[in-house]
Amino acid sequence: LQHPSARTWRRGMRLCIRQRAGRIRHVALSLMLVQNAGFVLVMRYSRKQQSSAQPAEFYNVSVVIVLQEVLKLVLCMFMIGLEQRSVTAALSGLYATRRDLARIAVPAACFTLQNNVLYVALSNLYPLTFQISYQLKTLLTAALSVVMLGKSLSGPQWGSQLLLAIGIVLTQVADSHGDGAERGGAGSAAATGAGESAAAAAAQPRSVALGLTAVLAAASSSAFASVYFERILKGVGAQGALWKRNMELCTWTVPMNLLLAALQASREQPLTEPLRGFTASTWAVIVVNGIGGLLVAVVIKYADNIWKGFATAGAILLTGLLAPILDLGPPPNGTMLLGACLVVSSILLYAATPPAPPAVRASAARAAMLPPQESASETRKVG
């Protein structure tokens, strides 16, 4: 028999570990909310600058992504060295077996696609429209979590997904109407010769359809990669390997984006001048996105993917508030405000729904697989 003081000590240690994990989760979710609003606003500002620049002043998008992945790699090495208080341990994180590298290649390819098409989306959509539309990945993540991770969602949680879908549709309706008015206003200004900025905007019009296609591609790749990566992080033997798994991701994403950078190179954008077209906003994009990738990994580790998606949805409020102030998009109209309210309501509904106890889920799963007579007896045993 264990001494009572030993049991008390172990109980206290478990409580401390749970409290520490809870604090990390709350801080990471808060930082992620701010980061997701920041990355949309900074990227939209950067793309807005690019739209008024000459072709020779354009930056290579994949070079930007390479630098943010390198930053992420350095930060992961720093975290490993800090946790284990060893430079050797940080450097050893660069080593990975062929099996580990092969397993991580799938999410790395998805994240590479996601990072590149996000620039297309934010070149054609206003920040608030993008922020709401991009929550499509939450719907896809929920469905994939059920299929790939065996999770189960309650009725209210599925209801929150329905609210989210309706909010996204309302946003697209509002932006499509605004885009038609924008084209009409620009054409009228060009015809009368008034408003030089309107004529410039007409020369490079937004394509809402292209932007939404890019959002769909980014959301699909992000949802699949996130659930796949969560499966790796929470799998057998993966505990404590958060930073190492991210380093393994970078060993794929860096060369993948270097290849894309070479394919994007042209006479106006030679690969021999990789930093051509870089401005302060470009470097801000690199820093914000480099840190954001690690926040995603921390949230996946200490919470789950669906919570990550809803924390991202919470950034809608901050984006909607700041985008008009920073002249990055128009103030939201009534339809868009309704869509945003539905999305926020879906967040509150999901958060207010407690998860089903594991025993209940397991019993329900067994009951669904057993014949009626066996199912009834199994239910009585659980009761």
Side-chain angles (χ1 to χ4, degrees), residues 261-310:
L263 295 175
Q264 292 178 29
S266 62
R267 181 176 301 177
E268 292 80 11
Q269 297 174 288
L271 202 57
T272 54
E273 299 180 45
L275 302 184
R276 175 179 286 191
F278 274 44
T279 61
S281 65
T282 314
W283 291 107
V285 169
I286 292 170
V287 173
V288 171
N289 286 347
I291 295 174
L294 299 184
L295 284 176
V296 170
V298 173
V299 171
I300 290 175
K301 184 67 174 180
Y302 291 98
D304 62 38
N305 252 309
I306 304 175
W307 271 110
K308 174 181 71 70
F310 279 102

Side-chain angles (χ1 to χ4, degrees), residues 225-275:
S226 297
V227 174
Y228 192 100
F229 195 49
E230 179 180 354
R231 188 175 180 178
I232 293 174
L233 284 177
K234 292 185 175 179
V236 177
Q239 301 298 323
L242 170 64
W243 308 117
K244 181 172 173 57
R245 296 302 178 216
N246 272 277
M247 291 176 70
E248 292 170 0
L249 270 178
C250 293
T251 60
W252 280 106
T253 56
V254 170
M256 285 177 179
N257 282 288
L258 280 174
L259 177 60
L260 290 176
L263 295 175
Q264 292 178 29
S266 62
R267 181 176 301 177
E268 292 80 11
Q269 297 174 288
L271 202 57
T272 54
E273 299 180 45
L275 302 184

Side-chain angles (χ1 to χ4, degrees), residues 76-215:
C76 287
M77 291 178 63
F78 173 77
M79 291 304 299
I80 291 177
L82 186 65
E83 288 182 351
Q84 302 188 16
R85 301 181 183 277
S86 170
V87 177
T88 304
L91 295 175
S92 66
L94 292 171
Y95 172 77
T97 64
R98 291 183 179 180
R99 180 176 178 273
D100 289 337
L101 286 177
R103 184 171 55 176
I104 214 75
V106 174
C110 292
F111 283 132
T112 298
L113 172 63
Q114 172 201 359
N115 286 330
N116 281 272
V117 297
L118 283 179
Y119 285 85
V120 178
L122 281 164
S123 297
N124 293 279
L125 298 176
Y126 290 129
L128 184 57
T129 304
F130 169 82
Q131 208 45 297
I132 296 175
S133 304
Y134 196 40
Q135 300 319 304
L136 177 63
K137 68 179 181 180
T138 305
L139 291 169
L140 298 174
T141 299
L144 289 174
S145 295
V146 171
V147 174
M148 296 176 61
L149 300 179
K151 293 185 178 181
S152 59
L153 301 182
S154 64
Q157 287 175 324
W158 282 118
S160 71
Q161 303 294 315
L162 178 60
L163 284 179
L164 187 59
I166 296 172
I168 292 173
V169 171
L170 288 176
T171 303
Q172 305 317 316
V173 171
D175 193 58
S176 296
H177 290 168
D179 188 53
E182 178 185 273
R183 287 195 299 268
S188 175
T192 59
E196 184 178 342
S197 60
Q204 294 182 338
R206 292 189 310 133
S207 173
V208 175
L210 178 59
L212 293 179
T213 302
V215 166

Side-chain angles (χ1 to χ4, degrees), residues 10-26 302:
R10 286 191 174 87
R11 191 179 301 116
M13 287 297 296
R14 287 195 295 268
L15 179 62
C16 289
I17 292 172
R18 285 197 298 269
Q19 290 176 342
R20 178 175 178 269
R23 285 194 297 269
I24 293 174
R25 178 170 59 250
H26 293 145
Y302 291 98

